[in-house]
Amino acid sequence: MIEVIKAGGPLMAVIIFLSVAGLSVILERGYYFFKNEKDNGELLINHLEKFIKNNERERAIRACDCFKNTSTKVMKTILIEYTGEKMNCCTYDYLEEKARECALREMPKLEKNMWILALVANVTPLAGLLGTVTGMIGAFTAMSKHGAGDPTVLAFGISQALITTASGLIVAIPALIFYNFYQKKIEKAMVDMEKNVVEFINILRKM
């Protein structure tokens, strides 16, 4: 493995650095989504509706702590505002504004470090392509100096070109797959949050 890295030339250092950065983001985002976006928001709404009908709003707030997803955080914010000192003068427009405010605070948490994964997916193939070009330049330069009689002169440059190209693709393909996978997770979290919040506020309107 070390011999292959050395044969790939100096651009292999860039590709390795990007691979480490990409893998770190993949693991970090995977842990975040597994820990924070696995609960069913509709199940929580059913519990909250029961508590609210029984006039147990404090219990409803505590129930939100047992669920971990973006929808839950927004609904907890709505409950806190709805049961606070402003309860009598709090309008539903105000609750919707607080929900949007909380959603905007949560959005950066969902998108954290995604730009790094996008960077890895886009830059590593270019680094590999650059390694291909420099490898071929080196091969033909060596051939012009030493002639075409010794195939090892040309083979070294071609080997460097192919190694960097393959390495760039090996890093970029998983990064692109996970980037799109996590983007879908983010979109789903935002759609679920919007749907659950609208449903929850409509429940409050009926109380």
Side-chain angles (χ1 to χ4, degrees), residues 178-191:
F178 277 100
Y179 176 79
N180 284 281
F181 175 72
Y182 290 145
Q183 281 295 114
K184 287 296 182 182
K185 296 282 286 185
I186 293 170
E187 291 175 11
K188 183 179 183 302
M190 295 305 294
V191 170

Side-chain angles (χ1 to χ4, degrees), residues 52 78-79 82 92 95 200-207:
I52 292 169
I78 294 172
L79 276 172
Y82 188 72
Y92 293 104
L95 290 179
F200 183 55
I201 289 180
N202 287 335
I203 290 173
L204 292 178
R205 289 180 190 271
K206 298 175 183 177
M207 292 298 104

Side-chain angles (χ1 to χ4, degrees), residues 132-150:
T132 301
V133 173
T134 56
M136 295 304 294
I137 290 173
F140 286 109
T141 301
M143 189 173 65
S144 67
K145 290 180 180 179
H146 304 286
D150 186 2

Side-chain angles (χ1 to χ4, degrees), residues 15 22 33 44 63 67 69 81 95 111 127 129-130 134 137 146 160 175 188-189 199 206:
I15 294 174
F33 286 118
L44 175 62
F67 290 76
N69 54 39
E81 294 295 330
L95 290 179
E111 295 181 335
L129 179 60
L130 182 58
T134 56
I137 290 173
H146 304 286
Q160 177 179 327
K188 183 179 183 302
E199 182 180 349
K206 298 175 183 177

